[in-house]
Amino acid sequence: MCGIIGIVGNHSVGQRLLHGLEKLEYRGYDSAGIATIYNGKIQRLRAEGKLVNLKEKFLAHPVEGHNGIGHTRWATHGQPSEVNAHPHANPKVTLVHNGIIENYAELRHELEEKGYTFESETDTEAVAHLISLYMEKGLSPQEAVAKALKYLKGSFALAILFTGYDNLLIAARQGGSPLAIGYGEGEMFIGSDAIALISLTQNISYLEDGDWAVLSPEKVVIYDKTDQPVNRPIQKSHLSESGVNKGKYDHFMLKEIYEQPQAIEKTLASYLKEGVLSLPSLPWESLTRLTISACGTAYYAGLISKYWFERFARLPVEIDVASEFRYRGPPLAEKGVSLFISQSGETIDTLAAIEYAKSQNQTIVSVVNVPESSIARCSDVLLLTHAGPEIGVASTKAFTTQLVVLALLALKAGHSRGVLSDKDFEEKLFELRFLPALCEKVLLQEAKIKTIAQSLVNAKDVLFLGRGISYPLALEGALKLKEVSYIHAEGYAAGEMKHGPIALLDSVLPVVVLAPFDELFEKTVSNIREVVARKAPVIALTDNKGASHLTALSRDVLVLPETTPLLSPFVYTPPLQLLAYYTALLKGTDVDQPRNLAKSVTVE
Ligand code: AGP
């Protein structure tokens, strides 16, 4: 949600904090701020809006000091404004915060009664005042933080500076707001993730739930939730600066779309070696139902896999968005398996759904892109995707790599359950080997997609339709378009259109139809005719065979390779991503950091 960085170092930190914030901006970008401590005094700079505004302030008034913290914000409590921007400060304590302090209202009330005044609407300021209150009672910074942490409820990460303490930085993590500790030479670091620390160190450890850490330039001491010193393993980060730069591309989104063939190949290769599929064993034979839950694009990946699991493994799938799953409290099968999908591995709704599934004695299987993430760590079976860091807020390569893992899993389930014969199984695995090449081929359609985007740019609404496995793809196409271009878009099952959305159709409402020449093609054509009869312009995504039927009916036809139910999501996804990208580009929106969104959503 928000991004945190901290450096307690041996030379100036101002510029380096800003550099770290650049890497974290994908986590939130409605305001930013830094604070350093110099000769015992706090220097603070904050700015509303993108990081560039803070950088300008820094150029005009650079802050000095070897110890500092920084923050990029995604507003929860209080509007995005300078006064609500972090760091928040009082005469003793300056801090940045990610997540939510759930008991902040009562805390604020108690602190106001004790004479504290609040300048912001945030929950964060209450934490600063609480620590300050304990210090005023004579506690050291460490003691005050330890005591305050016992009082705070919610899921959060904190980084705290103390007036008068040039070499002290305290960090804390509770719940699903990750914090990485970085180890340097005579310098120590904290960051919301390893990406923030990429140019500072490769030696990283991760705080666990309830941990807090005291950092000085020479050492880090980590305490667990019972305040006992603990060791957390230090790992080498394999991230590289070039892996998190835009390279030759104008936007991360475009770069990540083009990284898909590679990312798919890498993910495939990690499970499929010389034609042999290696996946952790799961009780596929005895399962009566598979439960899947996730959010946003990851949910749509799950929805696509429902078609695969049901088709290839005859395994009934129940799927729900994580924010509903948890509160619906569905009865889950005895000794069941629940599958969760998340790029970041930090989405709080998904984590909460996992908690629920755990309470129902389910085996937790997760498909995650970030190995150190909370979801990865709390799963019984972890299936990693190898998309590499995804920085663009709109998920692209994470989605297709999730599909790779889910396809393999569905095939494995089908084979184990005896639905797929050895031959069918081998053939389907063989089919998947063509994915990277297929994806590359599809990306060659960029110029045509760019042209189609021109016809969407002035639309107020766009409808995406698909049948069968193309239905969840239509949902994903609509999500991508609305996320980055701000054009209202709806995904609908093509057959369901006549039950309502047909009322919207007129000559200015473009309808994007996913129509591979499959067993449902004829039915989809009937729906296209219904659209055409209402004069709505059709943009058809189809293959050669389909094109011969659709050219006369459509304003635009994008001809894609012929495909199968296993491969079609991989063939139809990149064009939908490019369509959203180029429409957004023409509209002039901020493609990588669309308004109001954040990459990892760590609040409910
Ligand atoms: C997709 O483009 C989104 N920005 C969003 O829907 C995302 O997929 C969702 O928030 C889930 O995130 P996760 O995969 O990190 O759990």
Side-chain angles (χ1 to χ4, degrees), residues 507-556:
S507 61
V508 292
L509 185 121
V511 182
V512 178
V513 189
L514 310 180
F517 193 78
D518 56 16
E519 68 262 30
L520 300 172
F521 181 75
E522 280 307 321
K523 302 280 174 206
T524 308
V525 174
S526 304
N527 303 130
I528 292 177
R529 289 189 191 285
E530 291 156 11
V531 173
V532 173
R534 272 95 194 157
K535 299 195 170 56
V538 171
I539 297 155
L541 274 61
T542 185
D543 44 41
N544 253 321
K545 287 187 184 146
S548 60
H549 300 260
L550 296 181
T551 307
L553 293 171
S554 313
R555 180 174 72 190
D556 291 292

Side-chain angles (χ1 to χ4, degrees), residues 55-363:
K55 285 184 184 162
E56 276 168 17
K57 279 198 171 176
F58 180 82
L59 280 180
H61 307 281
V63 290
E64 294 166 282
H66 295 182
N67 183 8
I69 52 180
H71 189 265
T72 55
R73 180 167 186 249
W74 185 84
T76 56
H77 293 64
Q79 288 183 359
S81 63
E82 182 170 334
V83 81
N84 286 331
H86 299 216
H88 290 282
N90 60 38
K92 287 192 180 309
V93 173
T94 300
L95 56 78
V96 292
H97 158 224
N98 171 26
I100 287 197
I101 309 296
E102 283 169 3
N103 57 337
Y104 111 98
E106 66 184 79
L107 187 54
R108 182 170 176 143
H109 180 67
E110 284 170 26
L111 288 162
E112 277 172 340
E113 281 196 333
K114 289 191 163 64
Y116 282 88
T117 52
F118 284 75
E119 67 160 23
S120 75
E121 302 158 87
T122 64
D123 49 346
T124 311
E125 207 182 345
V127 183
H129 290 343
L130 181 67
I131 297 170
S132 184
L133 172 76
Y134 293 143
M135 287 176 72
E136 273 158 21
K137 288 185 175 168
L139 298 187
S140 69
Q142 284 96 318
E143 290 164 340
V145 170
K147 189 159 180 185
L149 289 173
K150 310 276 175 306
Y151 191 91
L152 301 176
K153 295 202 177 93
S155 167
F156 54 82
L158 297 165
I160 316 160
L161 297 179
F162 302 87
T163 308
Y165 294 80
D166 278 23
N167 289 322
L168 177 65
L169 172 57
I170 298 187
R173 176 206 170 148
Q174 185 169 301
S177 299
L179 262 191
I181 304 278
Y183 299 79
E185 299 274 313
E187 301 198 289
M188 299 295 161
F189 317 102
I190 52 156
S192 287
D193 56 32
I195 299 176
L197 307 182
I198 213 161
S199 58
L200 300 170
T201 182
Q202 286 193 303
N203 301 320
I204 305 280
S205 69
Y206 289 90
L207 292 190
E208 298 207 348
D209 185 7
D211 283 357
W212 58 286
V214 179
L215 289 83
S216 65
E218 295 78 30
K219 66 174 183 176
V220 178
V221 183
I222 303 178
Y223 299 91
D224 67 11
K225 59 172 85 140
T226 64
D227 300 334
Q228 293 306 306
V230 277
N231 285 319
R232 300 294 176 214
I234 300 176
Q235 317 159 13
K236 279 262 173 245
S237 158
H238 298 294
L239 296 170
S240 68
E241 187 85 35
S242 65
V244 294
N245 282 339
K246 280 184 239 169
K248 63 177 180 173
Y249 295 92
D250 290 337
H251 295 98
F252 281 110
M253 183 176 175
L254 191 62
K255 177 182 177 234
E256 289 160 4
I257 290 173
Y258 274 89
E259 280 172 349
Q260 287 180 110
Q262 243 182 309
I264 288 173
E265 181 147 38
K266 204 165 168 201
T267 305
L268 260 183
S270 69
Y271 296 103
L272 194 59
K273 292 188 179 72
E274 290 165 14
V276 179
L277 179 59
S278 134
L279 281 170
S281 77
L282 283 164
W284 295 118
E285 299 88 328
S286 59
L287 275 194
T288 51
R289 181 169 49 147
L290 175 67
T291 309
I292 304 182
S293 194
C295 302
T297 288
Y299 167 71
Y300 295 143
L303 210 51
I304 288 170
S305 77
K306 175 181 163 78
Y307 287 79
W308 286 331
F309 279 110
E310 294 184 346
R311 182 180 189 123
F312 300 130
R314 303 302 301 147
L315 176 60
V317 170
E318 185 186 358
I319 173 161
D320 219 335
V321 288
S323 53
E324 286 300 316
F325 176 79
R326 177 203 189 176
Y327 293 109
R328 192 164 56 84
L332 300 178
E334 261 306 295
K335 298 199 174 147
V337 171
S338 294
L339 174 64
F340 299 88
I341 308 157
S342 172
Q343 185 284 128
S344 63
E346 301 296 347
T347 303
I348 203 84
D349 286 324
T350 310
L351 270 164
I354 291 178
E355 223 170 86
Y356 174 75
K358 280 194 165 183
S359 76
Q360 303 295 300
N361 300 320
Q362 300 291 292
T363 299

Side-chain angles (χ1 to χ4, degrees), residues 253 294-300 341-351 367-370 375 390 392-396 398-399 402 476 479-480 483-484 594 597-601:
M253 183 176 175
C295 302
T297 288
Y299 167 71
Y300 295 143
I341 308 157
S342 172
Q343 185 284 128
S344 63
E346 301 296 347
T347 303
I348 203 84
D349 286 324
T350 310
L351 270 164
V367 177
V368 172
N369 194 39
V370 182
I375 293 179
E390 191 182 67
V393 165
S395 191
T396 52
F399 177 67
Q402 284 161 355
E476 169 61 4
L479 176 67
K480 225 59 329 154
E483 250 186 325
V484 296
L597 290 170
K599 185 70 185 162
S600 105
V601 185

Side-chain angles (χ1 to χ4, degrees), residues 298-468:
Y299 167 71
Y300 295 143
L303 210 51
I304 288 170
S305 77
K306 175 181 163 78
Y307 287 79
W308 286 331
F309 279 110
E310 294 184 346
R311 182 180 189 123
F312 300 130
R314 303 302 301 147
L315 176 60
V317 170
E318 185 186 358
I319 173 161
D320 219 335
V321 288
S323 53
E324 286 300 316
F325 176 79
R326 177 203 189 176
Y327 293 109
R328 192 164 56 84
L332 300 178
E334 261 306 295
K335 298 199 174 147
V337 171
S338 294
L339 174 64
F340 299 88
I341 308 157
S342 172
Q343 185 284 128
S344 63
E346 301 296 347
T347 303
I348 203 84
D349 286 324
T350 310
L351 270 164
I354 291 178
E355 223 170 86
Y356 174 75
K358 280 194 165 183
S359 76
Q360 303 295 300
N361 300 320
Q362 300 291 292
T363 299
I364 308 298
V365 181
S366 67
V367 177
V368 172
N369 194 39
V370 182
E372 311 79 21
S373 62
S374 307
I375 293 179
R377 285 190 284 140
C378 73
S379 303
D380 300 311
V381 176
L382 171 63
L383 299 169
L384 282 175
T385 51
H386 297 278
E390 191 182 67
I391 309 290
V393 165
S395 191
T396 52
K397 60 178 179 170
F399 177 67
T400 38
T401 52
Q402 284 161 355
L403 291 178
V404 169
V405 175
L406 294 167
L408 292 172
L409 214 53
L411 295 181
K412 172 80 184 171
H415 190 225
S416 308
R417 291 164 70 83
V419 180
L420 292 179
S421 66
D422 289 351
K423 183 167 164 283
D424 289 342
F425 181 57
E426 296 303 324
E427 277 176 9
K428 296 245 172 309
L429 289 180
F430 189 74
E431 248 183 68
L432 288 177
R433 294 211 220 156
F434 295 98
L435 281 180
L438 255 183
C439 188
E440 254 166 32
K441 193 167 171 197
V442 170
L443 288 168
L444 295 175
Q445 297 269 22
E446 187 183 11
K448 168 86 181 173
I449 297 168
K450 234 173 172 169
T451 316
I452 297 176
Q454 280 165 6
S455 68
L456 289 191
V457 73
N458 293 318
K460 278 179 68 190
D461 311 278
V462 179
L463 194 59
F464 286 73
L465 300 178
R467 272 180 183 266

